[in-house]
Amino acid sequence: EGEALENAEDLSEAQTEFRSNVHALKFAQSALDFIDKFEYANEACQGMLLSSNTSDVTEALRFFVRARTFQLPCATTGMKQALALMWSNEKAIRDEVLQAFVEVFIAVPGTNGKDQLPDNQIAHNLLVLVGRATVSELASIEEALGQLVTSERIPADVFLILWSIASKAKGEARSA
């Protein structure tokens, strides 16, 4: 009778572990499905950036901000593409691009641009952004940064950090 009780406890522990493993597997599968859906939506949103409809562009930019909240790489790639909209004739689009830029590269995710990241993290984000940028992307980044500096939305200490990094770097890294 005592041995049967021990086997029941072992079975119960094994069942608990099995259930826990099944739960972890289902969670991992859900996370992968979520990422797949985001990546699929990323392609659609990149196409929406080219739309002549302002609300399409706005929704695409908001998608990339949400992607940043989940730390998905498509947030950076989408924003790189969106920066070309800095040259749009429509002020509403330029303003939305700047707001999305702040939310993706400068602000704490999920704070609607209200809380800024630490200065060294902002500097890191900007270095990553320009690291593999094309000449046209660099021009758009420069335009966005110029407007954000003018409106004092980027802390001055960020540029001190960037200058410090640039003064220590050599070769191609320095030119970036």
Side-chain angles (χ1 to χ4, degrees), residues 12-23:
S12 177
E13 286 179 32
Q15 286 176 334
T16 302
E17 184 177 346
F18 178 76
R19 285 184 186 146
S20 176
N21 289 341
V22 167
H23 181 69

Side-chain angles (χ1 to χ4, degrees), residues 135-156:
V135 173
S136 62
E137 288 170 340
L138 288 172
S140 298
I141 293 167
E142 182 179 357
E143 178 67 17
L145 288 175
Q147 290 186 31
L148 292 171
V149 167
T150 301
S151 63
E152 299 179 357
R153 293 182 75 183
I154 299 177

Side-chain angles (χ1 to χ4, degrees), residues 94-106:
R94 290 191 311 269
D95 290 346
E96 194 70 36
V97 170
L98 283 176
Q99 182 59 34
F101 185 93
V102 167
E103 291 184 49
V104 171
F105 299 109
I106 297 171

Side-chain angles (χ1 to χ4, degrees), residues 2-155:
E3 191 174 308
L5 185 58
E6 270 184 39
N7 287 339
E9 285 178 17
D10 288 342
L11 184 59
S12 177
E13 286 179 32
Q15 286 176 334
T16 302
E17 184 177 346
F18 178 76
R19 285 184 186 146
S20 176
N21 289 341
V22 167
H23 181 69
L25 180 62
K26 285 181 180 180
F27 179 80
Q29 185 60 51
S30 293
L32 289 173
D33 290 344
F34 176 78
I35 291 170
D36 284 343
K37 284 181 179 23
F38 244 98
E39 290 299 325
Y40 176 76
N42 173 47
E43 294 173 21
C45 286
Q46 285 187 1
M48 287 172 61
L49 288 173
L50 304 173
S51 175
S52 59
N53 186 333
T54 303
S55 63
D56 286 349
V57 173
T58 300
E59 285 305 313
L61 288 167
R62 290 179 184 164
F63 168 83
F64 295 122
V65 169
R66 283 185 221 109
R68 168 65 168 97
T69 302
F70 294 106
Q71 299 179 345
L72 296 175
C74 66
T76 302
T77 57
M79 279 306 302
K80 264 187 170 180
Q81 183 179 355
L83 284 168
L85 296 170
M86 285 302 302
W87 309 106
S88 172
N89 292 330
E90 294 185 48
K91 183 179 179 341
I93 289 178
R94 290 191 311 269
D95 290 346
E96 194 70 36
V97 170
L98 283 176
Q99 182 59 34
F101 185 93
V102 167
E103 291 184 49
V104 171
F105 299 109
I106 297 171
V108 174
T111 63
N112 295 324
K114 293 178 184 144
D115 297 331
Q116 290 187 337
L117 291 166
D119 294 344
N120 60 342
Q121 183 63 49
I122 295 170
H124 172 77
N125 290 348
L126 295 176
L127 287 171
V128 168
L129 178 64
V130 301
R132 292 191 174 145
T134 65
V135 173
S136 62
E137 288 170 340
L138 288 172
S140 298
I141 293 167
E142 182 179 357
E143 178 67 17
L145 288 175
Q147 290 186 31
L148 292 171
V149 167
T150 301
S151 63
E152 299 179 357
R153 293 182 75 183
I154 299 177

